[in-house]
Amino acid sequence: MIARLLAVIFGTKNDRELKRLSSKVTAINNLEPVIQALSDEQLKEKTFEFRARLESGETLDDILVEAFAVAREASRRVLGMRHYDVQLIGGMVLHEGKIAEMKTGEGKTLVATLPLYLNALAGKGSHLVTVNDYLVRRDAELNRPLYEFLGLSVGIIQNNMNDSERRKAYAADITYGTNNEFGFDYLRDNMKFDIANFVQRNPEFAIVDEVDSILIDEARTPLIISGTAEKSSKMYEQADSAVKRLKKGVDYEVDEKDRHVNILEPGIDKLELALRVSNLYAAENVLLLHHLTQALKANVIFKRDVDYVVQDGQVMIVDEFTGRILDGRRYSDGLHQALEAKEGVEIERESQTLATITLQNYFRMYKKLSGMTGTAQTEAAEFHKIYKLGVVEIPTNRPMIRSDEDDVVVLLREDKYKAIIEDIVESYKRQQPVLVGTVSIEVSELISHLLRQIGIPHEVLNAKQHAREAEIVKHAGEKSRITIATNMAGRGTDIKLGEGVVELGGLRVIGTERHESRRIDNQLRGRSGRQGDPGSSKFYISLEDDFIRHHSGDRMKNVMERAGLEPGERIEGGLVSSSIAQAQHALEQKNFDRRKHVLEYDDVMNQQRKIIYQYRREILESIEGSNEIILEFLQDSVSYVVQQVAARGKISSEELSQITHLLVGHTGLEESFFTGLELPLFVAELERKVVDALWNYFLQIRSKLSADVVANIERWILLETIDYAWRTHLNNLDQIKDGINFRGYAQRDPLIEYKRESFYAFERMMIEIKERVVQAVFKIDSSAVSDEAIDNLRRAREEELEQISMSGPSEDGDAEKAGKENAGNAAAGNRKARRAKK
């Protein structure tokens, strides 16, 4: 109450931000006549002038007003579009490293050109990150004439590009690409053996388009680069056949809300009988039990044409937020193979994690990060907490007059679809265009089937027809057009009204179901009412909808009972919409906690990843070999061995004997070196003598080889050793995560336990790396080392990089699993105890 009163008196924080930036808008507008008077050549010369001023000590903020004025005038001349005042404000918000919330149709694509141009003047690269390859191409090509007119180069990152093309794109002043491509390129670069093959520069400035989709929705799970594991399990078909015999409620139970399954005692008995296993929970059957659980999930939780589609003999994931097929992405942890077994297609081999990073930790590496979307305020707290990004709501250029009608609620799904069809038919009769938004391919095809039955022409836009997306959207605002679309129509599309449609009431948006996120619903509504156009939106809901059943069923049921609703009857009003909004808010908070949980676990790995990648970078950047790193590893390795025997003080003859035994085995020192030492010796003195002797011996080995060969072989030994150890460590962390939640039953915090165990695992890994490197450098066979041998090794690594696969995580993915399966782990623990007695 007090906050609202203060806002009335002093204005909100958003109002104050807009007022502050408005003074700069006035300055830009005052400069406009001067800039308009310049010739094309004079306007182009401004870019060189700005760069010279930056080199002489001025900052980007110092030249912002002039640079924005120049970019706006260039846009007017080249693109035929002049930035509105509110677009100038949006551009300044982005430049300041904040999120600009702008309604659909307000020209976010054009807004981005201002800060991209300004920040590119520094010569370090500006990135525009968007959600798919189509939008990357569209936006880059749309604005390319503007950038090139001003003397800047433009790069585009596409999924099918090779490294040479990617390197050129990243070297451009302004680079457009998807979040996945940027993240995967970062991981791939840090797997390479030659810094000349890196494609990315240091991350400086990025604008994330549809920032809530990328940094919120897709940030629940990490990017993973995988290689083929040495062995592939043959259990998938066997597990699939076995679980298909189980009955729901008798042999297993399903938690649809958390997408989890529990196998009950009768189910365990049936599976043991079918598989001829005496105890599924015996240690030797852990892998089999894992396959059975994944097979059951694949059969009862994951739905064809909702979670995935089958095309050309392949199971392909459908993005739950956009409805698009995620080409090349696979569920992890054996779930994808379980789905392949379920659908009877070829089962691909399992994979091993080679590199991974969350989108949160990738984008937090940028020195300055900003974003734009039509819907950010609902997640403002998360943006601030995770990314330190503020949200500024940009006013519309023209007042928004769309009519957002109250939800209609019915008891049964069939009544809902009947009501939706009636609404579509009424709009069609008056020639008003309609966009029908669905949450799945399955529903979009059902609505299409119902319309075909009554002869209503329409278009369907979902993952199966994505190739025609641009053409369908282009005509969706014309008279009598009916477009049925999954959530893919809610991102990056701008439906423009055809001739005469304004008089008909604009575009009508019909939602067939509420999404778990208010933002997704608002994005659908936002397809209508752009730039002051009229329009309307309405959602139809049944108590049988998944979202209502899982999250708002009891509350909505009470509303229905009080209203005395019967099958076939409908109810609508603010109370209904308010009830749904409360359920969505609660779920948004729960999903935020899940994402925060994922990030907390990845933050542990992120610190370790930075250390490993920094070592790799130093090794790759060394020109004359890696003397400093090898000497450091040698010192640490010797110190570790000595202090395992004698941590402090003087060395006894018995301790010296033990140390001799340990060091002679994996270095070039003879036993005589140690027998020649005179006691007493202090620990530090012994370490120094051993290191000096080993280093001199190492230099003798190096003197037998050319400097180039030495540098190459040292680099190879270091990188191979580090990479092998890091991959093993990643898989060790996966195993730690798999069982860490059981620590909760002993009243220990799983996250703290994970931090402690991962730290010890990393310490052990670093010790092993140093010991292996020391052993390897003292066993170099000079006769077997040549430039040709090194080139062969390098080519082998390049071929390996070409064969890696990139994937998003599964719905119960590796990083998220610990947070999502807490409820099921208690039941699993109890079952294990019972099976042990059997």
Side-chain angles (χ1 to χ4, degrees):
M1 183 68 181
I2 295 175
R4 286 199 297 270
L5 181 62
L6 292 174
V8 171
I9 298 173
F10 300 106
T12 64
K13 181 181 179 182
N14 199 81
D15 293 335
R16 295 193 293 274
E17 280 290 287
L18 296 176
K19 184 176 180 180
R20 176 179 67 82
L21 296 173
S22 293
S23 61
K24 292 186 179 180
V25 172
T26 301
I28 295 169
N29 288 336
N30 290 339
L31 194 60
E32 188 168 27
V34 177
I35 300 299
Q36 285 183 343
L38 300 176
S39 66
D40 283 358
E41 288 304 314
Q42 289 173 322
L43 193 61
K44 293 177 183 179
E45 284 294 325
K46 280 290 184 180
T47 295
F48 299 102
E49 176 191 321
F50 292 146
R51 282 181 161 163
R53 289 166 60 181
L54 290 173
E55 288 177 5
S56 66
E58 288 192 60
T59 67
L60 293 175
D61 290 336
D62 293 332
I63 65 172
L64 183 147
V65 169
E66 290 178 74
F68 272 35
V70 166
R72 178 164 72 173
E73 176 60 20
S75 176
R76 187 184 69 83
R77 296 185 191 184
V78 178
L79 303 180
M81 294 185 287
R82 176 185 175 275
H83 296 80
Y84 303 129
D85 286 359
V86 291
Q87 291 176 317
L88 296 176
I89 292 175
M92 284 183 272
V93 168
L94 295 174
H95 165 68
E96 291 180 353
K98 299 173 183 174
I99 293 174
E101 181 179 272
M102 303 182 70
K103 300 297 183 187
T104 299
E106 291 298 304
K108 291 190 289 292
T109 304
L110 187 63
V111 168
T113 60
L114 298 169
L116 286 174
Y117 170 68
L118 174 63
N119 283 269
L121 294 171
K124 298 177 181 179
S126 292
H127 293 171
L128 191 288
V129 187
T130 191
V131 293
N132 60 60
D133 275 359
Y134 163 71
L135 293 177
V136 168
R137 291 192 305 272
R138 187 198 72 178
D139 294 353
E141 295 304 334
L142 176 66
N143 295 310
R144 182 188 294 276
L146 166 61
Y147 300 132
E148 292 183 344
F149 175 85
L150 290 170
L152 301 184
S153 56
V154 182
I156 301 177
I157 304 294
Q158 296 281 274
N159 180 264
N160 57 357
M161 282 183 168
N162 60 37
D163 274 7
S164 176
E165 294 167 324
R166 290 173 185 271
R167 195 174 303 109
K168 182 179 179 182
Y170 281 115
D173 295 306
I174 297 170
T175 305
Y176 283 73
T178 66
N179 51 295
N180 285 348
E181 293 304 315
F182 281 119
F184 283 134
D185 282 340
Y186 168 75
L187 292 176
R188 277 190 297 246
D189 273 355
N190 283 284
M191 295 172 67
K192 291 175 180 174
F193 268 42
D194 191 337
I195 203 162
N197 292 334
F198 278 38
V199 298
Q200 288 188 338
R201 294 191 277 176
N202 290 329
E204 289 288 331
F205 172 66
I207 299 173
V208 181
D209 192 11
E210 306 299 354
V211 65
D212 50 335
S213 175
I214 292 174
L215 296 190
I216 300 291
D217 296 334
E218 296 194 28
R220 289 194 215 177
T221 42
L223 302 174
I224 299 172
I225 285 185
S226 306
T228 303
E230 292 181 5
K231 295 182 180 179
S232 179
S233 172
K234 304 296 183 183
M235 298 179 184
Y236 294 109
E237 286 136 339
Q238 188 181 14
D240 182 71
S241 175
V243 300
K244 279 184 164 70
R245 305 174 190 178
L246 304 183
K247 294 181 180 179
K248 182 179 179 181
V250 177
D251 301 316
Y252 65 88
E253 58 187 10
V254 181
D255 183 344
E256 294 182 84
K257 185 177 178 180
D258 283 331
R259 296 171 74 82
H260 183 78
V261 292
N262 284 330
I263 306 175
L264 303 175
E265 287 291 339
I268 293 292
D269 293 336
K270 289 181 182 178
L271 291 173
E272 288 176 343
L273 184 63
L275 299 169
R276 298 178 182 178
V277 172
S278 61
N279 184 358
L280 262 179
Y281 286 98
E284 66 270 17
N285 293 323
V286 169
L287 184 60
L288 176 59
L289 180 61
H290 173 74
H291 281 300
L292 289 167
T293 304
Q294 295 296 68
L296 189 57
K297 275 187 177 180
N299 276 274
V300 304
I301 296 288
F302 287 77
K303 299 176 182 177
R304 182 168 176 166
D305 289 342
V306 177
D307 300 294
Y308 66 93
V309 296
V310 178
Q311 289 185 354
D312 302 324
Q314 291 183 307
V315 171
M316 308 183 79
I317 301 173
V318 174
D319 190 319
E320 65 171 312
F321 301 106
T322 67
R324 288 184 168 86
I325 288 177
L326 298 175
D327 191 31
R329 301 270 288 271
R330 291 177 62 82
Y331 292 118
S332 63
D333 209 26
L335 179 60
H336 211 99
Q337 286 85 354
L339 289 169
E340 289 167 336
K342 168 189 173 183
E343 296 296 341
V345 300
E346 182 181 353
I347 300 173
E348 295 189 17
R349 294 185 65 179
E350 294 180 67
S351 60
Q352 176 188 24
T353 299
L354 305 180
T356 178
I357 192 171
T358 58
L359 290 174
Q360 291 103 319
N361 275 323
Y362 172 72
F363 282 109
R364 291 195 302 188
M365 290 191 296
Y366 278 88
K367 290 184 179 178
K368 183 165 65 176
L369 180 67
S370 63
M372 52 188 185
T373 180
T375 47
Q377 284 293 350
T378 56
E379 315 293 348
E382 181 168 354
F383 281 124
H384 176 72
K385 189 163 188 176
I386 302 298
Y387 302 99
K388 301 296 185 289
L389 289 172
V391 177
V392 179
E393 190 174 356
I394 311 300
T396 57
N397 185 48
R398 296 176 182 172
M400 206 272 287
I401 60 174
R402 183 186 68 238
S403 172
D404 294 329
E405 302 170 13
D406 288 328
D407 298 343
V408 170
V409 180
V410 297
L411 290 177
L412 306 176
R413 272 203 185 102
E414 60 186 77
D415 293 334
K416 178 182 73 171
Y417 294 134
K418 181 180 179 182
I420 289 170
I421 297 301
E422 288 176 2
D423 195 333
I424 295 172
V425 170
E426 289 176 9
S427 300
Y428 180 71
K429 286 179 179 177
R430 60 177 179 264
Q431 296 185 298
Q432 183 179 14
V434 178
L435 173 66
V436 183
T438 70
V439 297
S440 69
I441 297 170
E442 183 181 45
V443 174
S444 69
E445 294 184 341
L446 172 60
I447 299 292
S448 175
H449 171 72
L450 295 174
L451 289 177
R452 284 198 304 271
Q453 286 186 324
I454 58 176
I456 300 291
H458 60 278
E459 292 279 5
V460 179
L461 176 57
N462 60 34
K464 293 183 177 179
Q465 288 85 28
H466 67 92
R468 297 183 56 238
E469 177 177 356
E471 184 66 18
I472 292 173
V473 171
K474 180 180 178 181
H475 299 290
E478 297 175 357
K479 281 185 179 180
S480 303
R481 290 279 181 168
I482 309 296
T483 307
I484 305 166
T486 53
N487 291 327
M488 66 193 304
R491 287 293 187 186
T493 58
D494 192 4
I495 299 174
K496 298 181 180 180
L497 299 183
E499 187 177 349
V501 174
V502 169
E503 293 75 16
L504 296 172
L507 178 68
R508 175 130 178 106
V509 170
I510 297 175
T512 61
E513 191 170 333
R514 282 289 199 164
H515 196 274
E516 64 179 36
S517 168
R518 289 172 292 173
R519 289 181 295 102
I520 306 298
D521 293 340
N522 290 339
Q523 289 153 18
L524 179 60
R525 291 190 194 275
R527 299 305 100 200
S528 176
R530 60 178 295 280
Q531 281 292 322
D533 287 338
S536 61
S537 68
K538 195 179 197 73
F539 280 82
Y540 288 86
I541 297 158
S542 86
L543 294 192
E544 295 181 332
D545 292 346
D546 290 344
F547 173 74
I548 300 299
R549 285 191 302 108
H550 297 162
H551 306 289
S552 191
D554 293 340
R555 190 182 300 114
M556 292 297 295
K557 187 176 181 181
N558 292 335
V559 173
M560 301 298 100
E561 288 176 349
R562 287 199 298 270
L565 195 69
E566 298 290 336
E569 295 180 342
R570 306 169 190 174
I571 186 172
E572 58 184 299
L575 182 61
V576 172
S577 299
S578 175
S579 177
I580 293 171
Q582 289 176 30
Q584 288 176 313
H585 178 70
L587 188 58
E588 287 164 0
Q589 183 59 47
K590 183 177 180 180
N591 286 335
F592 167 54
D593 291 339
R594 286 177 176 172
R595 290 187 292 269
K596 183 170 173 284
H597 193 77
V598 172
L599 185 59
E600 286 171 340
Y601 276 78
D602 191 64
D603 278 344
V604 178
M605 186 195 297
N606 195 49
Q607 297 305 313
Q608 300 172 0
R609 180 170 44 233
K610 286 179 179 178
I611 293 171
I612 291 296
Y613 286 1
Q614 182 60 36
Y615 266 125
R616 289 188 100 264
R617 189 95 189 188
E618 290 175 10
I619 293 164
L620 290 170
E621 289 177 344
S622 63
I623 299 173
E624 299 178 353
S626 306
N627 282 11
E628 291 183 7
I629 293 176
I630 291 176
L631 180 57
E632 175 195 330
F633 282 12
L634 177 59
Q635 290 168 334
D636 290 349
S637 185
V638 169
S639 179
Y640 177 75
V641 170
V642 171
Q643 293 184 28
Q644 290 300 300
V645 177
R648 61 180 66 85
K650 296 180 180 179
I651 303 288
S652 68
S653 58
E654 183 180 347
E655 288 171 337
L656 182 59
S657 176
Q658 294 179 50
I659 292 168
T660 301
H661 174 73
L662 291 171
L663 287 175
V664 168
H666 66 268
T667 69
L669 290 182
E670 299 289 341
E671 192 170 337
S672 57
F673 167 80
F674 293 96
T675 57
L677 294 173
E678 294 184 7
L679 295 177
L681 276 175
F682 285 94
V683 167
E685 187 180 3
L686 175 63
E687 289 178 8
R688 180 178 55 77
K689 286 179 177 292
V690 171
V691 169
D692 288 346
L694 285 172
W695 188 247
N696 288 330
Y697 181 60
F698 171 67
L699 293 178
Q700 291 176 26
I701 296 174
R702 293 179 87 242
S703 66
K704 299 176 183 178
L705 302 168
S706 69
D708 289 342
V709 170
V710 166
N712 282 331
I713 195 61
E714 289 175 359
R715 187 178 296 121
W716 183 265
I717 289 172
L718 284 162
L719 293 176
E720 267 295 296
T721 306
I722 288 172
D723 288 353
Y724 176 81
W726 178 241
R727 294 177 188 182
T728 303
H729 180 66
L730 289 178
N731 286 287
N732 288 341
L733 292 185
D734 285 344
Q735 293 175 22
I736 293 172
K737 261 183 246 174
D738 282 344
I740 204 70
N741 282 304
F742 289 109
R743 308 291 176 88
Y745 308 139
Q747 305 302 311
R748 288 184 287 178
D749 187 329
L751 179 60
I752 293 175
E753 291 292 298
Y754 176 73
K755 288 180 177 179
R756 183 176 60 81
E757 292 214 12
S758 64
F759 172 75
Y760 290 143
F762 186 74
E763 259 194 341
R764 290 194 300 271
M765 180 197 72
M766 291 305 299
I767 291 168
E768 290 173 5
I769 287 174
K770 292 169 183 177
E771 288 183 341
R772 287 175 183 167
V773 167
V774 170
Q775 290 179 37
V777 296
F778 285 110
K779 294 179 181 178
I780 296 175
D781 182 356
S782 58
S783 63
V785 176
S786 65
D787 289 336
E788 183 181 359
I790 296 297
D791 287 340
N792 289 338
L793 292 171
R794 184 179 289 111
R795 278 194 295 271
R797 171 50 68 97
E798 290 171 355
E799 289 175 6
E800 179 187 6
L801 287 174
E802 289 174 4
Q803 294 170 6
I804 61 176
S805 61
M806 292 151 292
S807 66
S810 66
E811 190 67 19
D812 64 334
D814 303 310
E816 193 178 10
K817 186 187 303 177
K820 296 189 73 173
E821 296 193 346
N822 284 337
N825 280 336
N830 292 335
R831 286 198 305 276
K832 285 189 177 183
R834 291 199 302 273
R835 303 308 297 179
K837 298 176 183 177
K838 190 173 178 179

